[in-house]
Every structure is written in structure tokens, then in C-alpha cells.
Amino acid sequence: MINYKHKVIAASTVGIGILSACSPQGEKTGNEQEKPNIIVIYLDDLGYGDVSSYGATEIETSNIDFLAENGVRFTNAYSSSATSSPSRYALLTGRYPWKNKNAKILPGTAPLIIDTAEMTLPKMLKEEGYHTGIVGKWHLGLGDGYVNWNEEVKPGPNQVGFDYSHIIAATQDRVPTVYIENGIVQGLDPEDSIFIDYQNNFEGEPTGKDNPELLKMMWHHGHNSSIVNGIPRIGFMKGGKLAQWVDEDMADYFLALAQDYIKTHKDEPFFLYYALQQPHVPRTPHPRFVGKSGMGPRGDVILEADWCIGELIKTVEEEGIAENTLIIFSSDNGPVLNDGYYDDAVEKLGNHNPFGSLRGGKYSLFEAGTRVPFITYWKGKIQPSVSDALISQIDITSSLAMLTGNDFRGEDSKQLLDVLTGESTQGRENLILEATTRTALRSGDWILIPPYKGPAVNKHVNIELGNSKEYQLYNLKEDLSQQNNLAHSDKEKLEEMIAVFEQIRGKDFGNIENLELK
Ligand code: NG6
Ligand code: CA
């Protein structure tokens, strides 16, 4: 593809001259503009229908809407998987998560699943002179087998391209419930070491299962191991009392760090990956947001996240860098209501529909699993539009490489910079979708889901997973909600889709005997 070094060609291809202002070395010369800052705002479990600019009527996400109304709002954009770790892996590597057998929902003790020798989005941007930072949820594993949380924890984000990291290791519902800055657990009392185990409890430590009297939030399924701040978690933890986070403060904590990061690095090109924890469980809005949505904690934390995003945009404005900052907004997977705690997400939902008109949800091969809100905003550079182009978060690596003049192209990442900037609606031809190791093919307007064993519905979360003994074939243009399986009536299309799928995915994608039972 076009190399950045040939900047004249690149600039004319991009059309609006995004690259023309940069010198090949990325130096400011005269009134030339430096390479753009890049901020990826990534939510956790936010659904296609959770955002008012995507049709939600019962909740007002005015700051996300600001990005949508003044940027490109994508209607056909996907996360790479219907769960977190695989989507995050693809976002940072440009590689399909099903190619990495370790890219599954990870426990807090999982080793790092990105090879430190592998090229990544932040590494690539570092090559182009960027300072790179992550603030928020990591969930890609830490260490190389056994982690001693009382010493420097590595390898982790700092070994795969981030100059700065301030993270939670896994999820808000998993131990260790501590913040880790550049590999160091924050606020740790050396006299009170942290111990983590995902199999066995530590003697004498209470659990959600045995000590319901200690809980301020009740578990519904899973989430009955160690108790931190009255919330039962996944996994066992002992010690590190002073280092434990306060759940209700997490949003403010990460926002302040993200704002500081921007202020500190505004004079150099920077890449900030701001990975918010909302609206993943446990949903713990700050008291300022409690009751704000009328939908219980799930709605409240969406409003909290929206507020954080507004504050972040304000910082970008106040620092005078809005015209030189590309913001990409999305979510790691689709929505879920009851994901393991009694928190009124179902009871107080009212008329809100986090799934929009899409079938399925988090964990599902149906559309709501992976079709997510996706917005690009760049003040003065990107013209407001709505794009129906087929695009995936996996395409971000190659597209940003193009933007910044790097040759790197992620293995499965399409260079779609002009789609990201709204100048073209010529997206991908096809895409493999994933949900807990099962895969499906989107090609043009069509979706093919091969037969999979396993329950049709995950009864705990009440979500249809997409499993069926038969092939499923849907035309999304005519049947967005995936109600009419055309596998029997359109044999020709079915064969065509199977052939494309086999070509990309290999032959055994539909081998019913070999597939997982999830
Ligand atoms: C599941 C958890 C769920 C959530 C999910 C990861 C149980 C029963 N369920 O195993 O609550 O933590 O993992 O979500 O433990 S993700 O968005 O990070 O992929
Ligand atoms: Ca998630």
C-alpha cells in the first residue's frame, strides 16, 4: 500500500490532507502541524442500543452523542469478539483472536497473551514518535506464568508498547482488585502482601458463598469468591488491604489519570488508550450518579461513563489540541443485563433496549454480540456523517499506521483510513466474527453461522448464543434482527458463504464434533 514516505500520494489519497501537514520525521516545521494525537475510548459491554445517537430513547448520552453528531457514526462496525480479552487482543495486534488459542476471557492470574516480540498498535506508534499510554482495563494477561503482585508485575502493557500504563489487571469483578501503574501495585503496604489464587481460598478468608451477611451486592451466578468492599468477586485474594480500589471511585480515578496524561503529553504526539470499566459488572456508580438514569446501576454507570467522556473532550479542548486529535470511540462487546449480580439491570430496565434491534448480546454470535457503537471524531478534519461501511476494530492498527506513516499492517487488519475519516464508505468485503471461540462469517449483507453444539440460550444471562444444529444464513439488509434463516431456501448463497468462510477460517469451523459446548 501507499507508504507514508510518499507523503504527497498519501495526502491526496486521504483527500482532506490529513497527512499533508506532517513531515516524514514527524517534526514540526514552520506552521506545519505535528502528527495527530490519537485517543481510543473503549467501553466495556456497552451495547449498540445503549447510546442515544444510536437510537436509545430512555437514556441520554449527550457526550457520546456529541462525538457521533460531529464525527462519523458507524452503523456496521464490529468488535472482533463478543467478549473482552479477544476483542482487546485484536484491537492492539490487528490479528484475529481465534488465531491465538489464549485469547479467551482471562482470569486475573493469566499470563500476557501478546507476544512481546509481536508488533502492536502502541509499538507501531512509538516508532512514529508517539508517547503511548493506557489508562483503565487491561485484561490481556500479565507476567509469564506466575505473578508476584508484590514486585514489579511484568511483562505487561509496558513490554508490548505502552510507555505509561495505569490499569486494572482484568475486570472489575475479578481479583486482584488493585490499580497497577507501570507494573507496580499502587498503595501497597509492604507489610501486607497480596496473594491471589483462582482455585483455592486462603484459610480464614470470607467468601461471597459462605458469608452473605458481609455483602452489599448479592451474586446471582459465579462471583462468589473473595469479598472486596462488600462485593463478592471471581477469584480469591488475601492481603493488600490498603491497595484495594474503591469501586465507586474508579471512574473518577481513571478519568483524572487520562486527563493528566493528556496535559502532560500534549506537546508531543501521544496515543491514549482510555479503557473505561463501565457498564461491566459490578456496576458501582459514584454517589453523584446513583439514581440518575432511573434504570438502576447499569443505566447510572452509562451516564457516569458518558460524563467522563464529556470531561475528557473538555480537556482536549481546553488544552488547545482538539484540531490535532483523532478520537475513536467504541465498546469491546455487546450488552448483557444480568451478568452475575442482582443489580436491578433487568428489573429496572423499563423501555430501554441495550440491544437495539439486534439479536443476541454479549457472548453471542448473533449481531448484538459484536456490532457495537463506533465513532470517529476529529475537530475540523472529519466531516459529520453516518457511515454504513463494514468495518472492524481490528482495522484500527493498519489504518492508524497509514495515518502516521508506518508500514505496519496487522495480519488481519485492513487499511481503511479513508473509511475511518468518513471520506469513503468502501469498507471490508467480509469479516470473521467470534464469540467464545466459535466463529461466523459476515460477507456483504450476509451472515453465515455454522452449526455449533451447546445451548441455544445462556440461561444465566438470558442471551441467545447463536448455537444451532443447522447452518444459519441471514440477510442483514432485509432482516437485521436475524429472524429468517435462509440456509434452506438459498442454497446457492449458503454454498458461496461456506466457500468464503473455509477460505479464511479453514475447513473445520463447522465441524460439529470439534466445537466447544459453551
Ligand atoms: C464471565 C463472568 C462475567 C464477566 C465475563 C467477562 C461469571 C459467571 N461470569 O465469566 O461476569 O466477568 O466473564 O466479561 O463469572 S468481559 O466483558 O470482560 O469479557
Ligand atoms: Ca466486555
Side-chain angles (χ1 to χ4, degrees):
M1 271 310 293
I2 298 146
N3 189 307
Y4 175 72
K5 309 294 182 298
H6 307 120
K7 63 174 178 157
V8 177
I9 306 168
S12 64
T13 310
V14 175
I16 53 180
I18 285 169
L19 298 178
S20 58
C22 309
S23 72
Q25 288 77 33
E27 297 160 353
K28 274 196 226 177
T29 51
N31 59 4
E32 280 192 2
Q33 194 186 350
E34 66 189 27
K35 292 188 183 188
N37 307 308
I38 298 161
I39 302 177
V40 172
I41 302 175
Y42 208 52
L43 272 77
D44 195 357
D45 298 1
L46 187 77
Y48 195 85
D50 276 323
V51 177
S52 32
S53 43
Y54 277 81
T57 52
E58 308 302 302
I59 192 164
E60 205 187 318
T61 51
S62 50
N63 296 300
I64 302 171
D65 295 351
F66 169 84
L67 298 176
E69 283 154 18
N70 295 285
V72 186
R73 181 172 73 80
F74 290 89
T75 63
N76 260 297
Y78 290 85
S79 61
S80 299
S81 174
T83 57
S84 157
S85 306
S87 285
R88 288 163 204 266
Y89 173 79
L91 174 72
L92 295 186
T93 62
R95 189 162 180 252
Y96 276 132
W98 44 267
K99 291 186 175 176
N100 179 342
K101 64 176 178 16
N102 298 321
K104 298 178 182 159
I105 298 174
L106 298 176
T109 46
L112 179 67
I113 62 167
I114 300 176
D115 189 329
T116 52
E118 199 175 340
M119 187 46 119
T120 63
L121 176 58
K123 260 192 205 172
M124 179 277 288
L125 290 171
K126 257 165 81 91
E127 279 187 3
E128 296 308 317
Y130 279 71
H131 195 281
T132 57
I134 170 172
V135 166
K137 177 179 178 177
W138 175 239
H139 211 194
L140 290 166
L142 293 168
D144 41 26
Y146 169 78
V147 174
N148 181 345
W149 302 93
N150 308 290
E151 292 173 356
E152 187 183 350
V153 176
K154 67 177 185 187
N158 297 64
Q159 284 69 41
V160 297
F162 287 102
D163 293 312
Y164 175 76
S165 67
H166 204 129
I167 57 166
I168 63 173
T171 56
Q172 203 187 327
D173 53 356
R174 284 175 173 74
V175 298
T177 52
V178 294
Y179 297 117
I180 305 167
E181 184 182 51
N182 297 324
I184 306 295
V185 171
Q186 297 299 285
L188 183 63
D189 172 359
E191 304 292 303
D192 185 23
S193 297
I194 296 178
F195 299 96
I196 304 292
D197 194 319
Y198 268 71
Q199 310 298 329
N200 304 304
N201 193 15
F202 300 95
E203 218 185 305
E205 295 292 313
T207 64
K209 199 163 174 226
D210 296 335
N211 303 85
E213 74 283 359
L214 300 178
L215 302 181
K216 68 177 180 191
M217 195 187 280
M218 292 304 291
W219 57 278
H220 176 273
H221 57 279
H223 306 98
N224 57 16
S225 308
S226 285
I227 303 169
V228 181
N229 306 330
I231 302 173
R233 316 278 168 162
I234 306 173
F236 301 100
M237 174 168 173
K238 185 185 158 192
K241 286 273 180 291
L242 284 179
Q244 289 171 359
W245 67 51
V246 176
D247 294 85
E248 291 77 4
D249 291 344
M250 189 176 284
D252 287 341
Y253 185 85
F254 282 139
L255 171 64
L257 288 167
Q259 290 173 312
D260 278 354
Y261 183 84
I262 292 170
K263 288 178 191 165
T264 309
H265 298 286
K266 65 173 177 183
D267 292 328
E268 52 192 325
F270 70 77
F271 167 58
L272 170 63
Y273 175 26
Y274 178 36
L276 289 82
Q277 89 282 11
Q278 303 105 323
H280 196 282
V281 295
R283 295 152 183 149
T284 53
H286 187 273
R288 302 196 306 286
F289 294 94
V290 171
K292 277 271 152 83
S293 69
M295 284 175 208
R298 186 173 187 279
D300 295 346
V301 298
I302 292 176
L303 292 181
E304 180 186 64
D306 183 68
W307 175 82
C308 291
I309 291 163
E311 294 303 296
L312 192 89
I313 299 169
K314 259 190 231 162
T315 303
V316 170
E317 273 293 339
E318 282 162 12
E319 296 302 318
I321 55 171
E323 279 89 352
N324 196 34
T325 303
L326 166 64
I327 299 178
I328 301 175
F329 168 88
S330 202
S331 171
D332 67 342
N333 53 252
V336 56
L337 293 171
N338 179 346
D339 205 14
Y341 294 97
Y342 288 96
D343 65 0
D344 282 343
V346 176
E347 294 78 359
K348 292 196 173 161
L349 187 63
N351 292 324
H352 179 57
N353 181 357
F355 311 91
S357 5
L358 309 177
R359 189 170 176 185
K362 183 176 179 179
Y363 311 109
S364 178
L365 270 181
F366 288 126
E367 286 293 280
T370 47
R371 197 190 288 219
V372 286
F374 188 107
I375 301 164
T376 54
Y377 167 80
W378 186 346
K379 188 179 184 181
K381 287 279 180 12
I382 286 183
Q383 300 308 311
S385 67
V386 176
S387 175
D388 296 334
L390 178 58
I391 190 165
S392 162
Q393 290 166 6
I394 206 170
D395 301 324
I396 289 174
T397 29
S398 293
S399 306
L400 293 185
M402 179 70 187
L403 173 67
T404 56
N406 195 286
D407 292 340
F408 175 63
R409 298 292 178 265
E411 196 173 302
D412 302 302
S413 176
K414 299 262 185 256
Q415 194 289 96
L416 295 173
L417 179 59
D418 52 0
V419 175
L420 277 186
T421 58
E423 289 164 284
S424 165
T425 50
Q426 218 48 52
R428 284 175 161 266
E429 278 171 25
N430 56 48
L431 175 68
I432 304 288
L433 305 174
E434 192 228 36
T436 50
T437 71
R438 298 157 300 145
T439 48
L441 170 72
R442 164 97 195 241
S443 181
D445 293 328
W446 295 81
I447 283 273
L448 173 75
I449 305 178
Y452 285 108
K453 276 185 180 175
V457 177
N458 176 331
K459 292 216 174 73
H460 289 306
V461 296
N462 193 23
I463 285 175
E464 288 185 287
L465 298 173
N467 297 328
S468 161
K469 288 199 179 86
E470 307 201 317
Y471 275 105
Q472 298 178 74
L473 178 70
Y474 300 100
N475 182 331
L476 295 173
K477 196 158 195 183
E478 284 155 17
D479 178 24
L480 181 61
S481 307
Q482 300 179 292
Q483 298 299 310
N484 304 312
N485 181 4
L486 303 177
H488 288 291
S489 57
D490 198 340
K491 286 272 181 243
E492 206 178 312
K493 193 72 196 175
L494 179 67
E495 294 307 322
E496 183 194 314
M497 293 286 284
I498 292 174
V500 177
F501 203 6
E502 276 185 4
Q503 204 193 338
I504 310 173
R505 183 73 180 85
K507 281 229 181 263
D508 70 347
F509 64 83
N511 183 345
I512 208 165
E513 299 309 320
N514 288 343
L515 297 164
E516 292 230 337
L517 284 165
K518 181 119 187 184

